[in-house]
């Protein structure tokens, strides 16, 4: 089980407390170290992850904080992916014209943000700053 607390418990982000509790009990029974003696170390690790996920998602204050942090992390990952796409595009395109072929997975708002970002990073002053930072 790798991933965020929702992935660990196998529930959606909008899951209600009864769903979270049911998923926790099912997984805690499945991965209890006493029931997995042949894989005790692995089961113990899984059991700790399950308990940590349940502890966080079962308390409203902790869940709100966790959801906020998870959203920030996902936003950062999206920006990193966007930058990687831009780098790939720049290395593949000698004319430095941006290819807007990301329609299949970006919304119109995201495409516009991408266009503005691309225009901004190609400004001469920004290019100098980018080169200096590397």
């Amino acid at each position: 089980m790798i991933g965020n607390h929702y992935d660990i418990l196998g529930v959606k982000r909008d899951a209600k407390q009864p769903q979270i509790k049911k998923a926790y009990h099912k997984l805690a029974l499945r991965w209890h170290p006493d029931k997995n003696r042949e894989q005790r170390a692995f089961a113990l690790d899984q059991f700790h992850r399950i308990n940590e996920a349940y502890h966080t998602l079962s308390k409203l204050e902790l869940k709100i904080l966790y959801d906020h942090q998870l959203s920030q992390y996902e936003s950062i990952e999206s920006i990193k992916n966007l930058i990687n796409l831009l780098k790939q595009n720049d290395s593949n395109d000698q004319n430095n014209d941006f290819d807007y072929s990301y329609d299949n997975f970006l919304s119109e708002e995201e495409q516009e943000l991408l266009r503005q970002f691309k225009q901004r990073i190609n400004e001469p002053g920004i290019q100098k700053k980018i080169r200096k930072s590397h």
Side-chain angles (χ1 to χ4, degrees):
M1 283 184 218
I2 298 174
N4 66 48
H5 291 338
Y6 295 100
D7 293 339
I8 289 169
L9 293 179
V11 296
K12 294 181 180 179
R13 284 178 80 165
D14 61 352
K16 304 293 183 214
Q17 287 304 316
Q19 294 169 305
I20 292 170
K21 188 174 186 176
K22 182 178 179 180
Y24 164 74
H25 282 289
K26 181 180 174 183
L27 291 169
L29 284 173
R30 178 178 177 204
W31 290 108
H32 195 283
D34 291 343
K35 291 189 175 192
N36 292 281
R37 290 195 172 122
E38 62 281 347
Q39 301 177 2
R40 188 165 177 79
F42 181 73
L44 189 59
D45 181 57
Q46 297 297 77
F47 192 71
H48 284 301
R49 289 174 187 239
I50 293 163
N51 278 317
E52 180 183 346
Y54 179 69
H55 174 76
T56 301
L57 298 180
S58 66
K59 295 180 174 39
L60 184 59
E61 299 84 13
L62 293 176
K63 184 179 184 305
I64 291 169
L65 180 62
Y66 179 77
D67 286 345
H68 177 71
Q69 291 172 340
L70 185 60
S71 293
Q72 285 181 327
Y73 172 78
E74 290 171 345
S75 295
I76 290 168
E77 287 301 306
S78 294
I79 291 169
K80 286 179 182 177
N81 291 337
L82 177 62
I83 290 170
N84 287 334
L85 284 173
L86 290 171
K87 286 179 181 177
Q88 287 174 354
N89 185 63
D90 285 345
S91 66
N92 293 336
D93 189 358
Q94 300 300 327
N95 297 329
N96 208 21
D97 291 332
F98 188 68
D99 176 16
Y100 297 103
S101 62
Y102 305 113
D103 296 346
N104 56 345
F105 65 93
L106 293 179
S107 69
E108 288 180 22
E109 183 179 321
E110 291 168 328
Q111 289 176 42
E112 180 57 30
L113 180 64
L114 190 59
R115 282 186 203 96
Q116 291 173 4
F117 179 75
K118 181 66 175 179
Q119 288 171 345
R120 179 83 171 116
I121 65 168
N122 282 328
E123 292 175 3
I126 300 296
Q127 286 295 320
K128 285 181 184 178
K129 289 179 182 178
I130 292 172
R131 281 190 215 95
K132 282 183 182 179
S133 69
H134 286 33

